[in-house]
Amino acid sequence: GQTDLEKLVLDAEGSARQTERAFQLLKAAADAGYAEAQYLLGTLYLDGLGTRRDPANALKQFSMSSQQSHLLGIYHLALMHATGTATHRSCEIAVGLFKNVAERGPWTELFNEAYDDYLDGDINASLVKYLVLAEMGYEPAQHNVAFILEHEEQYGPQALANWRRSAKQGHVSSHIHIGDYHYYGWGTPPDLAAAAASYRTAADANQAHGMFNLGWMYETGSGLDRDLHLAKRFYDLAMATAGDAQVRRGVCSSVLDGRTVFFLSSVDGLCFSELVCVCVCVCVYGCVCLCVCNACQLVWV
């Protein structure tokens, strides 16, 4: 109601008095938290209509409207970051905001269709739709493509490429999968140093899985110089970070004497079990797990 009135006043071909009245009405509505009013008030501040030109206040209003997902507010905020108006110029921030706008088109309905196909068991149809969205740059689609391929046991270059795309767009847990691909040589030659780097990126972002895997690599000397002190440090960090797992399961300390007593499940959290003789294998969820050496039976705690 109130913002419709301000737009009527703004659209009217009239005097400065009308724009001043529009500014007052918009400011009242913006102060009350209306996103549309915040956006329109930002345009008045930016153009100097009904008030003196004030780009800093325009930036503030566009920011507030964008926090409520106002599309034009996000777009104008992107423009200000792109041109460095009332703020430091940042192409990175501008691109992220423009991407936010571009990803709100009607084609996003494909997400619902892909998800419904997945629930109905039509994995191929779901995968094709997620692939289309992934190529359009949608991070959730890139993540889902890689996830589906893995669960279809297709640990290849296409899955790795989509984990990488997802990671570049800020999905931290994707770094864990990238590390696994380098560690086991899925879709790429084995590279333990690259695996450690990916796990470290995840660990730095407070991911318990990454901390655990770094601890494992330090303990066994896999791709990193063997260092039991650093191994224990990362195991302790993983235990401290995975608080929910500590509630569900009793947490024991590593004896660090050649027997590995840790087990990590990305599905059920951080779990622990002690075996006398174990080897490293990978479960269907891409986790570093403990297996009995003789028959390599998966230990599921």
Side-chain angles (χ1 to χ4, degrees):
Q2 190 173 18
T3 54
D4 289 339
L5 175 60
E6 296 103 358
K7 283 191 283 187
L8 284 173
V9 175
L10 284 171
D11 290 339
E13 293 183 3
S15 64
R17 182 177 177 182
Q18 286 179 301
T19 57
E20 289 173 4
R21 176 59 178 160
F23 173 81
Q24 293 170 359
L25 292 171
L26 279 172
K27 191 173 187 310
D31 289 344
Y34 291 97
E36 177 77 359
Q38 291 165 346
Y39 157 68
L40 291 171
L41 185 61
T43 62
L44 292 186
Y45 276 125
L46 190 62
D47 297 331
L49 295 174
T51 184
R52 64 180 179 83
R53 189 171 185 274
D54 190 345
N57 252 327
L59 181 72
K60 178 182 177 182
Q61 296 300 324
F62 291 145
S63 296
M64 289 193 295
S65 67
S66 69
Q67 288 170 11
Q68 299 188 61
S69 300
H70 191 281
L71 201 61
L72 287 173
I74 298 171
Y75 176 74
H76 279 77
L77 185 62
L79 286 176
M80 295 190 76
H81 280 287
T83 58
T85 304
T87 185
H88 293 294
R89 187 181 183 194
S90 174
C91 292
E92 183 179 357
I93 294 176
V95 167
L97 291 168
F98 283 133
K99 185 175 184 294
N100 192 319
V101 174
E103 289 183 348
R104 292 170 182 260
W107 47 83
T108 55
E109 180 59 30
L110 270 179
F111 270 110
N112 294 330
E113 295 177 14
Y115 183 65
D116 289 340
D117 288 338
Y118 186 84
L119 292 181
D120 292 339
D122 193 346
I123 305 302
N124 288 335
S126 176
L127 180 59
V128 168
K129 289 169 183 173
Y130 279 131
L131 278 167
V132 171
L133 292 164
E135 291 302 316
M136 294 172 69
Y138 287 92
E139 185 281 320
Q142 293 162 354
H143 184 280
N144 289 352
V145 165
F147 174 86
I148 291 174
L149 289 172
E150 279 197 5
H151 280 256
E152 293 299 302
E153 299 185 357
Q154 298 181 38
Y155 297 90
Q158 189 174 32
L160 176 58
N162 279 282
W163 285 130
R164 284 174 171 162
R165 291 175 176 178
S166 172
K168 285 181 179 179
Q169 296 201 64
H171 199 125
V172 177
S173 66
S174 295
H175 288 284
I176 300 291
H177 295 274
I178 296 170
D180 292 344
Y181 276 66
H182 285 297
Y183 191 98
Y184 298 106
W186 297 334
T188 186
D191 187 340
L192 297 184
S198 293
Y199 293 146
R200 193 176 299 278
T201 299
D204 290 344
N206 213 34
Q207 288 282 321
H209 200 155
M211 297 170 187
F212 170 85
N213 286 357
L214 276 178
W216 169 272
M217 296 182 79
Y218 274 119
E219 182 183 351
T220 59
S222 302
L224 296 170
D225 293 336
R226 193 164 187 258
D227 189 324
L228 300 186
H229 295 290
L230 280 176
K232 185 178 187 305
R233 180 183 300 173
F234 279 107
Y235 284 145
D236 288 343
L237 285 171
M239 285 187 281
T241 302
D244 291 343
Q246 292 187 47
V247 174
R248 294 194 303 267
R249 310 290 296 190
V251 178
C252 56
S253 297
S254 171
V255 292
L256 294 176
D257 63 355
R259 295 182 299 167
T260 303
V261 299
F262 294 100
F263 164 77
L264 179 63
S265 165
S266 62
V267 174
D268 193 38
L270 200 57
C271 306
F272 300 90
S273 177
E274 184 171 356
L275 297 174
V276 173
C277 184
V278 296
C279 67
V280 182
C281 65
V282 60
C283 72
V284 293
Y285 299 101
C287 310
V288 177
C289 305
L290 300 185
C291 304
V292 179
C293 284
N294 292 334
C296 205
Q297 297 296 316
L298 182 64
V299 177
W300 193 263
V301 184

